[in-house]
Amino acid sequence: MESFQSIAAYHQALAQGATTILQTTEAYLNRIQQYKAMNAYVEVFEQEALEQAIQQDQLIQSGTPLLPLQGVIVGIKDVLHYKGKAVTAASKMLAGYKATYHATAVERLLAAGAIIIGRQNCDEFAMGSSNEHSVYGPAQHPQYSDRVPGGSSGGSAAAVAANLCMVSLGSDTGGSVRQPADFCGIVGLKPSYGRVSRHGLIAYASSFDQIGIFSRTIEDAALLLQIIAGEDEWDSTVASWSVPNYVEELQQLKLDQKRKVAYIGSAVHHPSLDPAIKASFLKACSEFKALGHIVEEVHFPLLDYIVPTYYILTTAEASSNLSRYDGVRYGYRSQAPMPELSDLYVKSRSEGFGKEVQRRILLGTYVLSSGYYDAYFSKAQQVRRLLLNQVTDIFKNYDAIWMPTVPAPAWKMGEKSENPTDMYLADIFTVLANLTGLPAISLPLFKHGSGLPFGLQVMTNRGEELSLLSISSQLMAQMQR
Amino acid sequence: MQITTQELHKLAKLAQIEISQQEEVQLLQHMHAMFAMVERLQEVDTTGVEPLTHLVEETQQRFRSDELQPTLTNQEVVEQAPISDGTFFQVPKVIRK
């Protein structure tokens, strides 16, 4: 199959008549079929995709100028509402549920001409780092079928890496876009909290959740962000920041513009960090410095408290958000005999939620229960404030913070299923951005000795996606030299 | 901090989840590991620190105008239910004679 370097290259091919949207859509549908064992997709929207492709081709033939995402093949994580289609958060609890409306991000993609080709596998309710906790079974790593693609948006990352779609949307509550992007060797962007509407995104932890983008290039991520970002009357937490024309701004970017970068010392010297990742990270730092940028190590004493803070707050929010699943109004309902109404709730929830989701609901219930609320929940909110203060201080002197994305490359399936906290601790470098609302991106810059890809994570201050994308472009250009 | 079997069941009851006897041992183990992890937070000095409750300050929140708009029809809502009579959701009887 013909593979396009970028959306811009695809649009050029369309403009020149070298391909049609229908041909391209059919090729992707075939390829998805061919790579079915990867389990990246849980449903393919074949009929709608083909119908849209024919319509989009007719628009081109009638001489209508190309829409920004016309004919672009997009996959969506199974947590985003696409009207008329099932959306289940990879959970038995939502069996049979159909979206009655479009998520705002999905609606904006469709209005920009995108073709939504299917919904993609993930960890149940976006809780997990391996895509092994899915009612549809695990998704595979795109290159090594015995390894995990990361999670929770594992299917969406694997699909972009294996060219089963051009770009995809995932969601990132604690790294669920950046970590699988790191594992699969692609770009994974989590915008600032408040940059993209969460309307139509199934909630996990509402003060952390953000829709994110998987792509193979910075330019494609920038283009998608430009389309989905901005105010929405259905989500009052979306910031009123204007949305820059990221694509044009990046085209005008001067690659030699000097930057001030901080990297977190305690992260780079952390005992859990793989030595090869550490070496590559520090090499990238010194090469960037050699080009005249400032790259300095900064002190960040709270690093080891980030994961506990994150798990207290997100499980608390999850226990509240997931209390809506009752077996009455939609989704799964137990068939067990139930003399009382409360039996209906208990049986449906116990059979409908998987073990990882149940564990997190229980922990969240605990930290919110009277007697423990102040010791855990309020305490974690206080630490969240300290973390925000610390990153705010860093941004007084620096344009960006760099960290590795994940301490180790993609692990083998089943390797971290004995003790759930092993997997939680691997989130150490990604959860900071969610706790503090920062935009963050994982860039596919490195290859491990084992052949596995891994990334470097860049963060900028809240609302500064343009700076994030610009520094990312400079870094990618430097590494490709 | 440790959690007893009894406390675990109380927690499960609050969360409307049922824990079977064969799950009990492993779940207790997992919960202990999770507690040990979050317990570390007590080491941080947070004296006088205001809890951060929202990343978006309330004054920055934007609300749409309070106008009636068509949403879903009764049929669209009820057809999602696992069991309904076409107009109402159906649940086990709650009022007894």
Side-chain angles (χ1 to χ4, degrees), chain A residues 135-293:
Chain A
V135 73
Y136 304 103
Q140 294 173 354
H141 190 279
Q143 291 155 280
Y144 302 88
S145 59
D146 59 338
R147 289 185 185 267
V148 303
S152 66
S153 318
S156 304
V160 169
N163 200 21
L164 308 183
C165 57
M166 295 176 183
V167 284
S168 63
L169 292 189
S171 65
D172 189 316
T173 304
S176 286
V177 165
R178 289 159 288 152
Q179 185 257 24
D182 171 286
F183 280 14
C184 294
I186 56 171
V187 173
L189 168 66
K190 181 202 89 78
S192 310
Y193 185 78
R195 179 55 92 182
V196 177
S197 167
R198 292 178 290 113
H199 178 60
L201 166 70
I202 293 176
Y204 159 16
S206 306
S207 79
F208 293 76
D209 296 343
Q210 192 58 198
I211 293 172
I213 298 163
F214 292 102
S215 64
R216 274 174 284 165
T217 66
I218 304 287
E219 292 72 20
D220 286 357
L223 176 57
L224 249 77
L225 180 62
Q226 201 170 307
I227 301 295
I228 65 172
E231 284 187 84
D232 177 23
E233 64 171 13
W234 296 102
D235 179 358
S236 67
T237 61
V238 178
S240 55
W241 308 319
S242 63
V243 180
N245 187 325
Y246 297 112
V247 176
E248 256 177 40
E249 297 276 355
L250 283 182
Q251 281 163 354
Q252 286 158 14
L253 172 73
K254 291 191 179 64
L255 283 176
D256 60 353
Q257 190 181 332
K258 295 295 176 268
R259 306 287 184 179
K260 288 167 87 175
V261 174
Y263 69 86
I264 295 180
S266 46
V268 178
H269 307 301
H270 201 270
S272 71
L273 183 61
D274 180 292
I277 296 181
K278 178 178 177 174
S280 302
F281 179 88
L282 288 173
K283 189 162 175 273
C285 287
S286 58
E287 284 172 7
F288 204 63
K289 205 170 167 177
L291 292 173
H293 304 283

Side-chain angles (χ1 to χ4, degrees), chain A residues 114 154 214 237 321 411 413 475:
Chain A
F214 292 102
T237 61
N321 269 328
W411 56 79
M413 282 191 192
L475 191 51

Side-chain angles (χ1 to χ4, degrees), chain A residues 409-420:
Chain A
W411 56 79
K412 289 221 162 116
M413 282 191 192
E415 199 178 306
K416 289 190 196 269
S417 49
E418 276 300 300
N419 184 346

Side-chain angles (χ1 to χ4, degrees), chain B residues 8 19-30:
Chain B
L8 181 68
I19 297 163
S20 68
Q21 270 193 320
Q22 64 257 48
E23 296 169 307
E24 211 176 75
V25 177
Q26 201 193 30
L27 188 58
L28 266 176
Q29 243 173 39
H30 288 161

